[in-house]
Amino acid sequence: MSSSPPKLVLCVIDAMAPAMLERAIETGAAPVLERLVSGGRYVPDCVAAFPSVTPVCAASIVTGVGQDEHEIPGMNWFHRDEHRYVEYGSSFRAAQRFGIARQLTDTVYNMNRAHLSQHTPTVFERLDDADVRTAGTTYLMYRGRHRHEPQRDTALTRVASALMRHAVMGPRELFYADIFASQRTGCRSGLGMPGVRDRHSGCVSAYMVEHDLFDFLLLSLPDNDWHSHKRGPEGQVHSIGQADLQLARVMNAAGGVEEFLSEHAVIVMADHSQAPVTATIALQDELAELGVLGPTHPGRTTSSRPAHSPDVEPRIAVCPSQRAAMVYALEESERDAMRASVVALALAIDGIDLVMWLERDAHDAPREGVIASPRHGELRFAPGGAGGDVVIDPRGLSWSVEGALAAIEATVEGGRLLSPAYPDALARAWSALTCRTSGEVLLSAAPGVEFIDWGRQAHVGGGSHGSLHASDSLGALVLHGVPPPEPEPAQWAIRDVAPLVLRHFGLDGAR
Ligand SMILES: [Zn+2]
């Protein structure tokens, strides 16, 4: 390896919008980030996964692959094998609809243990196998090789302490809310409440720096996303400043920013961005005539399956993920017919920008994806070079395309596909469409529009994310002490980061 510092911190600032980072730096609110940007490589357009929501993106960040491989398809999704919704916490009210206990169990345990594919190792697992000292603060994805028992002596709520009894496999040092703590740091997470989570991450990370406990640290600073949902993306100038304070605190534990940077490489990144929300779609209501399965609260025993459309037998599951949504056919035999019905209705709903589905061949293998716009018509596409016009996207992948390029505002110049309004559109849509756990129909909302969740909550007047559109898909990425790959991608993606981390420690970035 070159002269890069031996240790590496990967800091994820949830939803950090490039324009807001730049403004925070201009106003002097983010001196540490300013130092990293000026001394490193700043990428203002690192593209998220689609749906551009935290569970999907977090899984891509730690595994370096899309959901066609890692299999976390959304914030809310329908588990076909268990015939139930999985809800990772769209809102407190949404969690209540499915049962708080179930939501917490799915988010804290099942996401890593059961939902994240066993075939896609995380950076923690890869580095643990190579005896690198790994560490993580509270992050949705923590799967590693070291066993951690839940804390017995903290003030968890009654429901939480009754649930959080099981050990997990995580990085060598794991700090996860007040549930798991591999060291007695004296830091408290305040039950992981929004607004105080950054402080907990900063506190435990400073402790780890002081006691030299890691070579690789995933430092998660999630509060920016919460502020931005509430106050809109403009509110990020304040919350990025707060995140910067925690970075300073961690660096001061090494004696200051310069001292820290002489011993640590640093990657700071967003998982996705955020865009303002001014209107909502109640997809559950819009599709009611097809028979929508309602949330099933496992704690309540009712004689019949509770449907959202009480007079109609449930035939579809509706899964809002903020500015994206998925619809599943409940019966395999009705899949194609139901898909056609959902597509027809969805294309007529005000505020839906794109409707996507997968066409399969006679052997049920994916044949081509379709991205349909109510205004511009259908774009059909498939990876590789068979049939239609062959184009190369900015990441160097070739696609055959046919139909309305206008659906993703794309142009083709000299065989090169450009779609800046929908960055990395074909690869992201293909990954989502061919993901085993995705729905039959995927939806992306128009700018300004959000799907209400199952608790009927949205972020009107604030910000949100989830769509295929550039406005919430492009996050900030800063590399300091980590050389970019050669050749450097013309379009960076969050799935490029795990290979950078592995390569920093001398491991093969490609699996
Ligand atoms: Zn969010």
Side-chain angles (χ1 to χ4, degrees):
M1 282 295 297
S2 62
S3 59
S4 15
K7 301 178 197 176
L8 174 62
V9 174
L10 169 58
C11 175
V12 182
I13 300 181
D14 201 316
M16 182 166 65
M20 295 305 121
L21 169 62
E22 288 158 29
R23 199 182 300 164
I25 287 174
E26 274 160 28
T27 57
V32 176
L33 289 165
E34 178 177 20
R35 170 68 184 82
L36 295 173
V37 166
S38 65
R41 172 85 179 87
Y42 171 51
V43 178
D45 58 352
C46 181
V47 68
F50 169 74
S52 43
V53 292
T54 300
V56 187
C57 295
S60 282
I61 289 169
V62 300
T63 62
V65 295
Q67 68 266 50
D68 54 331
E69 297 186 62
H70 69 56
E71 299 190 338
I72 303 288
M75 178 64 93
N76 178 288
W77 56 285
F78 185 73
H79 198 308
R80 291 186 179 93
D81 299 338
E82 297 180 4
H83 200 84
R84 67 175 184 95
Y85 287 101
V86 173
E87 167 63 53
Y88 291 139
S90 303
S91 66
F92 183 70
R93 283 184 192 278
Q96 281 181 312
R97 289 295 305 279
F98 296 97
I100 299 287
R102 168 153 277 178
Q103 185 264 316
L104 283 174
T105 304
D106 276 336
T107 306
V108 177
Y109 287 109
N110 292 335
M111 189 191 296
N112 283 269
R113 185 177 57 189
H115 303 158
L116 179 66
S117 169
Q118 295 298 332
H119 302 292
T120 51
T122 67
V123 285
F124 296 124
E125 291 171 314
R126 292 285 311 273
L127 296 175
D128 284 338
D129 289 342
D131 277 334
V132 172
R133 298 179 304 159
T134 56
T137 70
T138 314
Y139 193 56
L140 287 181
M141 292 291 159
Y142 58 73
R143 204 175 69 192
R145 303 290 191 204
H146 297 269
R147 189 181 162 87
H148 297 273
E149 295 288 340
Q151 292 271 89
R152 305 285 178 203
D153 59 346
T154 53
L156 289 177
T157 59
R158 216 175 302 143
V159 59
S161 57
L163 283 172
M164 305 303 163
R165 289 185 170 158
H166 304 286
V168 294
M169 299 302 286
R172 189 169 182 261
E173 301 293 343
L174 175 65
F175 299 89
Y176 189 107
D178 285 323
I179 306 167
F180 302 101
S182 50
Q183 306 280 339
R184 290 185 174 274
T185 59
C187 306
R188 286 279 175 267
S189 88
L191 303 173
M193 296 304 279
V196 299
R197 296 174 299 178
D198 283 9
R199 268 184 273 159
H200 180 250
S201 292
C203 182
V204 297
S205 298
Y207 179 94
M208 285 190 279
V209 169
E210 234 167 79
H211 294 81
D212 186 22
L213 291 174
F214 66 84
D215 298 310
F216 171 71
L217 166 65
L218 195 156
L219 167 58
S220 169
L221 298 174
D223 287 339
N224 181 62
D225 183 66
W226 182 77
H227 279 280
S228 185
H229 277 301
K230 216 175 149 122
R231 303 200 176 89
E234 302 284 319
Q236 288 195 16
V237 177
H238 171 73
S239 42
I240 289 172
Q242 295 297 305
D244 196 275
L245 283 175
Q246 296 306 322
L247 277 170
R249 176 184 190 175
V250 175
M251 294 188 180
N252 286 338
V257 174
E258 299 311 320
E259 289 82 351
F260 184 87
L261 292 179
S262 69
E263 290 179 1
H264 299 80
V266 180
I267 301 173
V268 181
M269 70 184 299
D271 47 355
H272 50 72
S273 188
Q274 279 209 17
V277 171
T278 52
T280 60
I281 298 171
L283 192 62
Q284 304 89 327
D285 304 346
E286 298 281 355
L287 300 179
E289 67 189 72
L290 299 178
V292 176
L293 181 72
T296 317
H297 193 307
R300 274 177 223 145
T301 44
T302 44
S303 52
S304 61
R305 283 182 292 173
H308 184 68
S309 340
D311 304 330
V312 191
E313 180 72 9
R315 307 188 97 102
I316 58 172
V318 170
C319 300
S321 275
Q322 301 173 346
R323 294 199 349 94
M326 301 192 286
V327 183
Y328 296 69
L330 296 182
E331 295 297 331
E332 177 81 22
S333 59
E334 294 183 343
R335 192 176 66 186
D336 292 350
M338 201 42 85
R339 188 190 69 204
S341 304
V342 172
V343 167
L345 284 176
L347 281 169
I349 298 172
D350 214 26
I352 287 187
D353 187 24
L354 299 171
V355 180
M356 289 163 255
W357 67 94
L358 189 67
E359 304 270 8
R360 295 171 184 275
D361 66 16
H363 307 287
D364 217 31
R367 184 164 56 85
E368 62 180 9
V370 186
I371 301 177
S373 145
R375 278 185 303 150
H376 302 291
E378 292 179 8
L379 174 66
R380 293 173 173 266
F381 68 104
D389 294 329
V390 176
V391 296
I392 312 271
D393 74 16
R395 290 178 59 80
L397 297 176
S398 63
W399 302 89
S400 58
V401 295
E402 197 186 325
L405 286 169
I408 53 168
E409 296 179 36
T411 54
V412 177
E413 287 162 28
R416 304 214 154 256
L417 179 83
L418 296 171
S419 59
Y422 298 88
D424 197 21
L426 301 187
R428 296 164 72 205
W430 185 258
S431 183
L433 289 169
T434 58
C435 170
R436 189 179 65 86
T437 51
S438 285
E440 268 75 40
V441 180
L442 309 188
L443 304 171
S444 184
V449 182
E450 185 178 22
F451 296 98
I452 63 163
D453 68 22
W454 272 108
R456 302 195 79 82
Q457 303 296 299
H459 302 96
V460 174
S464 195
H465 51 97
S467 85
L468 192 68
H469 193 265
S471 57
D472 43 358
S473 296
L474 296 176
L477 168 69
V478 186
L479 308 176
H480 193 283
V482 181
E486 293 195 27
E488 191 170 332
Q491 168 72 68
W492 279 84
I494 57 170
R495 57 190 186 277
D496 294 327
V497 172
L500 282 183
V501 171
L502 296 175
R503 238 175 278 139
H504 180 85
F505 291 102
L507 302 179
D508 185 2
R511 286 188 302 113

